[in-house]
Amino acid sequence: MLQESKVYYMNTSQQSCYKNVLIPKWHDIWTQIQIRVNSSKLVRVTQVENEEKLKELEQFSIWNFFSSFLKEKLNDTYVNVGLYSTKTCLKVEILEEDTKYSVIVTRRFDPKLFLIFLLGLILFFCGDLLSRSQIFYYSTGMSVGIVASLLIIIFMLSKFMPKKSPIYIILVGGWSFSLYLIQLVFKNLQEIWRCYWQYLLSYVLAVGFMSFAVCYKYGPLENERSINLLTWTLQLMGLCFMYSGIQIPHIALAIIIIALCTKSLEYPIHWLYITYRKMCNATEKTVPPRLLTEEEYRIQGEVETRKALEKLREYCNSPDCSAWKTVSRIQSPKRFADFVEGSFHLTPNEVSVHEQEYGLESIIAQDELYEETSSEEEDSDSRYPPITQQNSLLT
């Protein structure tokens, strides 16, 4: 019986079992239990559920004989144990003499599970954006081409094969062999990169370029139905990743339900928020706008007039302005040219007239007119006092 965090050193073929006695808690959602077998030479590790299965391995059978050849022989093997599995047993077979190996059971936070869960969240909530992104389209196409190049070649060869041909048996075997090679490469990727990094880099560059060329030829998806299918596929993959990234099933289902509700209620919640804001704005007392004083009104008029004149000069000096068409429509081309060059937009005569109408003299004249009107109203008939008072206020 194996115990957690205890290292067992062995040099003969052994059968071991681990019994999980701890009940998983909510904080164990990304916790992984692993049994690691690290040996000096190649060993074969077989995982079974209980002691009865170990006894069956000792008995000779054709299935056990052929499966022993299919099992991989590794120096470093990790056996994953489920949090809810009560017991897990394994058999370590030594293939060469003088082989020493160690067995240890660890319970720790697994960052891979967290990354898988995070990837699922991104695919589910950002699937509609990713399906329309050109960067995601090209990067995914290149990644699929690099990882599954053998599968793509076999699929293309199947297109040229005649129907009802025995060659399909070879193609099916090729598919299975390709999947096995992909799995084998990923397990030994670090060793392959260390020994054959030149060939691996050349393969990635060549296949990546060809995959990019194929994606560029066909272009991103433009049909709305195809985009919707890709969106739904990404969201479904995201839900699968979210479920597989959490070790406790009922918590995983609860998070998936919350994600679905959040995604479905996104638009109703937004509509309710807008309605609430409108109701709040309707119930609030409207504050009347502050009126400008006479001085503020005059300053604002001068500033805005100056800005508008500068914009007009810039437009007249730009290539977008047709000088001949503009000159043909105005009465004083020379005055227009002086204005464009920076001269004042009013003549002295116009300034004098403006001062008489709106300057100090205009204010005095308005005061005199107001006094005359008031004296006439006081001498008017007394039968219309409300109307006289109203006229005075209006004046």
Side-chain angles (χ1 to χ4, degrees):
M1 298 300 296
L2 302 176
Q3 298 180 3
E4 293 184 10
S5 303
K6 184 178 180 180
V7 184
Y8 297 86
Y9 297 97
M10 306 174 188
N11 54 10
T12 58
S13 298
Q14 293 286 342
Q15 297 177 355
S16 306
C17 290
Y18 166 73
K19 187 176 182 180
N20 185 18
V21 296
L22 297 178
I23 299 176
K25 304 295 182 180
W26 65 269
H27 53 78
D28 295 326
I29 54 177
W30 295 308
T31 300
Q32 182 72 56
I33 303 176
Q34 288 183 334
I35 303 175
R36 180 182 180 183
V37 180
N38 189 9
S39 61
S40 58
K41 297 180 181 180
L42 296 178
V43 295
R44 183 186 293 118
V45 179
T46 305
Q47 179 185 4
V48 293
E49 297 176 355
N50 47 42
E51 291 91 342
E52 287 76 12
K53 298 291 183 180
L54 285 177
K55 293 179 181 179
E56 293 179 3
L57 291 177
E58 297 298 326
Q59 300 175 0
F60 179 80
S61 64
I62 298 177
W63 172 251
N64 292 336
F65 178 75
F66 283 105
S67 62
S68 63
F69 289 100
L70 296 176
K71 290 186 179 297
E72 297 182 58
K73 298 174 280 292
L74 302 172
N75 293 81
D76 198 2
T77 306
Y78 289 89
V79 178
N80 294 325
V81 181
L83 292 180
Y84 287 92
S85 62
T86 57
K87 184 176 289 188
T88 300
C89 298
L90 55 90
K91 177 183 178 181
V92 181
E93 298 179 64
I94 294 177
L95 305 177
E96 301 179 14
E97 295 182 358
D98 299 332
T99 301
K100 297 179 180 180
Y101 64 94
S102 62
V103 181
I104 183 174
V105 181
T106 59
R107 181 193 296 262
R108 60 184 180 83
F109 169 78
D110 193 352
K112 294 181 182 178
L113 294 176
F114 176 75
L115 292 177
I116 291 173
F117 175 75
L118 184 61
L119 178 61
L121 281 180
I122 295 174
L123 290 178
F124 180 75
F125 286 101
C126 302
D128 50 350
L129 297 178
L130 293 175
S131 60
R132 302 174 188 273
S133 174
Q134 295 186 2
I135 298 176
F136 178 78
Y137 170 77
Y138 286 109
S139 59
T140 305
M142 294 173 63
S143 302
V144 171
I146 292 172
V147 174
S149 57
L150 287 177
L151 296 177
I152 296 173
I153 293 173
I154 294 173
F155 175 76
M156 294 176 65
L157 289 176
S158 64
K159 295 292 184 179
F160 300 98
M161 297 298 174
K163 295 182 177 180
K164 298 181 180 180
S165 176
I167 198 67
Y168 275 101
I169 300 176
I170 302 176
L171 290 176
V172 172
W175 280 87
S176 304
F177 180 70
S178 300
L179 291 174
Y180 174 76
L181 282 182
I182 292 172
Q183 181 185 7
L184 192 63
V185 167
F186 272 98
K187 284 187 175 181
N188 302 275
L189 185 60
Q190 187 175 0
E191 188 69 18
I192 294 173
W193 174 258
R194 187 175 63 85
C195 299
Y196 309 102
W197 66 271
Q198 302 94 337
Y199 303 102
L200 183 61
L201 184 61
S202 302
Y203 167 79
V204 170
L205 292 177
V207 178
F209 177 76
M210 288 188 291
S211 303
F212 176 80
V214 173
C215 294
Y216 183 77
K217 178 182 178 181
Y218 290 98
L221 297 179
E222 296 181 354
N223 189 3
E224 192 65 28
R225 293 186 177 181
S226 301
I227 294 175
N228 291 335
L229 288 175
L230 180 59
T231 301
W232 298 335
T233 303
L234 293 177
Q235 291 177 347
L236 183 60
M237 291 176 59
L239 293 177
C240 294
F241 283 146
M242 289 167 61
Y243 183 82
S244 60
I246 295 179
Q247 291 288 78
I248 303 177
H250 57 273
I251 294 182
L253 291 175
I255 293 177
I256 289 175
I257 293 173
I258 292 173
L260 290 173
C261 294
T262 304
K263 191 70 176 178
S264 303
L265 295 177
E266 178 180 357
Y267 297 104
I269 289 176
H270 183 67
W271 180 80
L272 290 174
Y273 176 74
I274 294 177
T275 307
Y276 173 75
R277 290 294 301 273
K278 288 183 178 180
M279 293 177 61
C280 292
N281 294 334
T283 56
E284 291 179 357
K285 295 182 178 180
T286 56
V287 180
R290 188 182 70 85
L291 301 178
L292 296 176
T293 62
E294 184 177 357
E295 183 67 19
E296 291 174 343
Y297 177 76
R298 184 185 63 79
I299 294 175
Q300 184 176 2
E302 293 178 357
V303 172
E304 296 300 326
T305 303
R306 193 179 301 111
K307 290 181 180 179
L309 292 174
E310 290 297 329
K311 289 182 180 180
L312 179 60
R313 285 194 182 95
E314 292 177 0
Y315 173 75
C316 294
N317 288 319
S318 65
D320 298 333
C321 178
S322 179
W324 292 107
K325 186 182 294 186
T326 305
V327 169
S328 63
R329 293 179 178 179
I330 59 179
Q331 298 179 356
S332 179
K334 184 178 183 305
R335 182 180 174 186
F336 172 74
D338 294 338
F339 166 73
V340 173
E341 293 297 330
S343 298
F344 196 57
H345 65 288
L346 296 175
T347 61
N349 187 23
E350 291 173 343
V351 173
S352 177
V353 172
H354 181 271
E355 288 294 335
Q356 291 178 3
E357 293 182 0
Y358 304 101
L360 183 61
E361 298 178 359
S362 175
I363 296 174
I364 297 173
Q366 290 178 2
D367 292 339
E368 293 178 354
L369 180 62
Y370 177 76
E371 291 177 358
E372 293 176 359
T373 306
S374 300
S375 60
E376 290 177 359
E377 289 175 353
E378 291 176 356
D379 298 336
S380 60
D381 193 359
S382 60
R383 290 178 297 176
Y384 308 100
I387 298 177
T388 305
Q389 184 178 2
Q390 184 178 2
N391 288 337
S392 302
L393 292 174
L394 289 175
T395 305

